[in-house]
Amino acid sequence: MKLVTSLTSPYGRKVRVVLLEKKIPFQLQVENPWLPDSVVPSLNPLGKVPVLVLEDGVSVFDSRVIVEYLDHISPVGHLIPAEPKVRMGVRGVEALADGVTDAAVALYLERKRTPEQQSSGWLVLQEKTLFRGVEALSEALGEKPWYLDKNMTLADIACGCTLGY
Ligand code: GSF
């Protein structure tokens, strides 16, 4: 299988960490989705990375769908628990972490625009989301070493990639 991503993408990083933790061999194809001649839209109609291309040519996106698939195909180090409520908690932290990343990406893109084009209201909105989200990530972890107490799960990987970004 081949992972198509940019090396700076926090969502792509989450998938790369999962691939490595689960010891799944993969090819890496580095692509910049923002370039006008990018191949990414031919793999994902949304034009976004990461995309996982399977042996039979099927393209899988987005990162949450990819990590779910990867966790199912290998029994090595399960990252998404089976018990429904625990599973919901782990996926919930992932959704929160991804949401914080979305706000951080939105801030980054807005700040790349010229000062005249930037919307201060939009920047404030995204900043508030970002800080609320980080606070909620911190509260959910509390004093525990991992979100699920004894084991590292997808929740910890997603949170780590968000904080890294
Ligand atoms: C987000 C992917 C994304 O926004 C996921 O896979 O989890 N919910 C999706 N990717 C960005 C790159 S980055 O900010 O990581 C992307 O490919 N943007 C290109 C575009 O045209 O929006």
Side-chain angles (χ1 to χ4, degrees), residues 9-11 33-34 47-50 62-63 105:
S9 169
Y11 314 97
W34 310 102
K48 292 178 193 290
V49 291
D62 65 10
S63 65
V105 169

Side-chain angles (χ1 to χ4, degrees), residues 3 12-26 28 70 74 76-77 79 152 157:
L3 179 67
R13 186 176 185 189
K14 180 177 65 175
V15 173
R16 287 190 289 147
V17 172
V18 167
L19 281 160
L20 292 171
E21 284 295 333
K22 295 191 63 79
K23 301 183 176 25
I24 298 171
F26 68 103
L28 183 66
L70 294 174
S74 162
V76 176
L79 295 169
M152 185 180 78
I157 294 173

Side-chain angles (χ1 to χ4, degrees), residues 5-6 8-15 32-34 40 44 46-51 61-66 94 98 101-102 105-106 108-109 165:
T5 188
S6 76
T8 52
S9 169
Y11 314 97
R13 186 176 185 189
K14 180 177 65 175
V15 173
N32 179 347
W34 310 102
V40 174
N44 173 0
L46 304 175
K48 292 178 193 290
V49 291
V51 183
F61 52 86
D62 65 10
S63 65
R64 289 189 221 173
V65 180
I66 298 174
E94 183 194 15
D98 281 5
T101 301
D102 292 343
V105 169
Y108 168 72
L109 294 176
Y165 182 72

